[in-house]
Amino acid sequence: MKRIINSNYFYAFIALCCSLWLFFYVSTPGVGSTRNSNQSNTSTVTKKATLTVPLQLQADVEKYYITGYPQNVKVTIEGPAALVTATKNTQNFNLYLNLKDLSIGQHRVQIKESGLNSELTYSIKPKYVTVNIQRRETKRFDVDVDYNKESLATGYEAGKTEVSPDTVTVTGAASEIEKINKVVVKPILPKGIKSTFDQEVLVQALDKNGKTVNVTLDPQTVHVKIPITIQSKQVSINLKQKGNSDNTNFSLESDVKNIRIFGTQAQIDAINDSVDIPVDVSDVTGNTKKSIDLGDALGNKVAFTDPQAIDVTINTGTTSSNNNSSSNNSNNNNSTNTNGNSTNDTNSSNTNSTEDNNSEQ
């Protein structure tokens, strides 16, 4: 037995058996099944994703102005999950329109892609777009300002409008540039505005019918400043009696002698250094005090005044008239008494003279 174990043939046999065992172990289907199964599952799991991608143009945009195409399109990709995720995160592909060989006019063009992995399937929406290719033109226009002046509060006026910048560059198809009637900003003023308007306003290119022209404006907004002010000056007041009354002997007095009037430049220029304030006395029967609304008194001659109302004292003059009558009666009585005394003095003198004559006889 020892001789067999120590022989070279025995060791060769053992080696052969081990080799056969290893061969059959590796070749058995169950061996390494977990790893192979995971790899198989990973390779067979698919995923779908929809991406929004900018649409690029392959054209001479310095020479031609191209319209009609969308800025972005949607592409749905499908394939191995890991590849879809990587493509979604990196977006290392392009969607484009090849317009290099197209002439001026309208064309229906297919959107193409470049850079997508060949293992991915995709669909683009929309698949085709209609583009309009025209000769490109650039021109400068002055910016007009158009706003509703009725938005200003009563009596307020708008000064010279400031626009910065006051010109814009317009780029578009030559046929569209020819349609432009004016480039304008239309600021929307709040109703009853009393202070300066100061805002950025969108610029518009309009045709003769007031419709927007399809062009590119640079800049797209401008700064608009509209000074809004009101004029004023100080004037004296003249109180004037108004209305019929049995008593015409009225005196009108007020502690306020001067007021400040506000309005447009034309309203201010139309008023001198004083204004007449009518005071209605038709219902006055005795001394009284009235509050006169200066806005009502001046009507549409001004926008408003400061103060808005004044107190006027109305004296009828009845008391002083009675006093004058009593004074006259007193004077008449005094005159009569004086005349009476004079008569008595004369009679007394005559009597004394008669008595003297009799005594002499």
Side-chain angles (χ1 to χ4, degrees):
M1 188 71 179
K2 262 184 187 180
R3 291 177 62 185
I4 296 173
I5 294 175
N6 292 327
S7 68
N8 291 331
Y9 292 105
F10 177 77
Y11 288 111
F13 176 77
I14 295 298
L16 178 62
C17 291
C18 289
S19 298
L20 292 172
W21 179 82
L22 288 172
F23 174 76
F24 286 111
Y25 178 80
V26 173
S27 301
T28 302
V31 176
S33 61
T34 301
R35 183 186 62 181
N36 293 335
S37 175
N38 289 338
Q39 289 177 347
S40 176
N41 288 338
T42 301
S43 62
T44 57
V45 171
T46 61
K47 185 178 181 181
K48 181 185 291 187
T50 299
L51 311 177
T52 300
V53 181
L55 181 60
Q56 299 179 1
L57 298 181
Q58 293 184 355
D60 186 356
V61 294
E62 296 296 326
K63 184 177 180 181
Y64 299 104
Y65 190 79
I66 304 164
T67 58
Y69 64 95
Q71 295 295 320
N72 300 289
V73 293
K74 293 184 181 296
V75 58
T76 301
I77 57 176
E78 186 174 2
L83 189 55
V84 170
T85 301
T87 304
K88 180 179 179 181
N89 292 337
T90 60
Q91 293 197 14
N92 55 350
F93 65 96
N94 296 320
L95 299 181
Y96 66 94
L97 294 172
N98 186 358
L99 310 177
K100 291 181 179 179
D101 298 328
L102 299 181
S103 60
I104 290 175
Q106 283 193 348
H107 304 273
R108 189 169 183 265
V109 186
Q110 182 180 1
I111 299 175
K112 298 181 180 180
E113 68 79 25
S114 65
L116 275 176
N117 192 291
S118 59
E119 294 185 42
L120 296 173
T121 60
Y122 66 91
S123 62
I124 302 172
K125 187 176 182 180
K127 189 175 182 180
Y128 291 88
V129 294
T130 299
V131 297
N132 186 12
I133 303 175
Q134 295 292 331
R135 182 171 56 84
R136 187 183 187 90
E137 185 174 334
T138 298
K139 194 173 181 180
R140 292 194 69 83
F141 286 85
D142 293 332
V143 179
D144 295 332
V145 181
D146 184 10
Y147 64 93
N148 184 9
K149 294 185 178 180
E150 294 182 359
S151 297
L152 275 63
T154 302
Y156 284 78
E157 291 180 305
K160 183 179 180 181
T161 301
E162 300 176 16
V163 181
S164 179
D166 57 1
T167 62
V168 295
T169 301
V170 182
T171 303
S175 58
E176 292 295 304
I177 296 292
E178 292 176 0
K179 294 179 183 178
I180 297 176
N181 181 51
K182 63 179 179 179
V183 173
V184 65
V185 288
K186 295 185 176 183
I188 301 176
L189 277 60
K191 187 68 175 177
I193 186 172
K194 296 180 179 179
S195 58
T196 296
F197 178 90
D198 195 350
Q199 285 185 14
E200 289 285 326
V201 185
L202 184 69
V203 185
Q204 302 177 64
L206 305 178
D207 63 16
K208 62 181 181 180
N209 297 319
K211 294 183 179 180
T212 303
V213 181
N214 185 19
V215 291
T216 301
L217 300 158
D218 184 28
Q220 295 182 347
T221 63
V222 295
H223 192 87
V224 178
K225 184 177 181 180
I226 306 175
I228 297 175
T229 58
I230 191 169
Q231 304 300 318
S232 71
K233 74 175 179 180
Q234 182 170 295
V235 296
S236 60
I237 60 173
N238 304 317
L239 301 176
K240 297 293 185 179
Q241 179 178 319
K242 173 188 174 183
N244 297 323
S245 176
D246 293 338
N247 189 346
T248 59
N249 188 23
F250 289 104
S251 64
L252 309 175
E253 296 180 359
S254 176
D255 293 336
V256 178
K257 306 301 181 185
N258 299 288
I259 62 172
R260 181 162 289 276
I261 58 173
F262 296 82
T264 64
Q265 188 65 58
Q267 288 176 321
I268 297 301
D269 292 343
I271 295 177
N272 296 323
D273 294 334
S274 64
V275 292
D276 293 339
I277 305 299
V279 180
D280 190 359
V281 296
S282 58
D283 58 346
V284 176
T285 57
N287 295 344
T288 187
K289 181 181 287 187
K290 277 190 172 186
S291 178
I292 305 300
D293 188 312
L294 296 178
D296 292 340
L298 294 176
N300 59 2
K301 293 181 179 179
V302 297
F304 58 90
T305 63
D306 183 26
Q308 296 180 351
I310 60 172
D311 290 331
V312 175
T313 300
I314 305 173
N315 292 319
T316 61
T318 302
T319 302
S320 64
S321 176
N322 290 337
N323 290 337
N324 289 336
S325 177
S326 299
S327 177
N328 290 335
N329 290 336
S330 176
N331 291 335
N332 290 335
N333 289 336
N334 290 334
S335 176
T336 302
N337 290 336
T338 302
N339 292 335
N341 290 336
S342 177
T343 302
N344 291 336
D345 290 342
T346 303
N347 291 337
S348 174
S349 176
N350 292 335
T351 302
N352 290 334
S353 176
T354 303
E355 289 177 352
D356 290 340
N357 291 331
N358 291 335
S359 175
E360 289 178 356
Q361 292 176 353

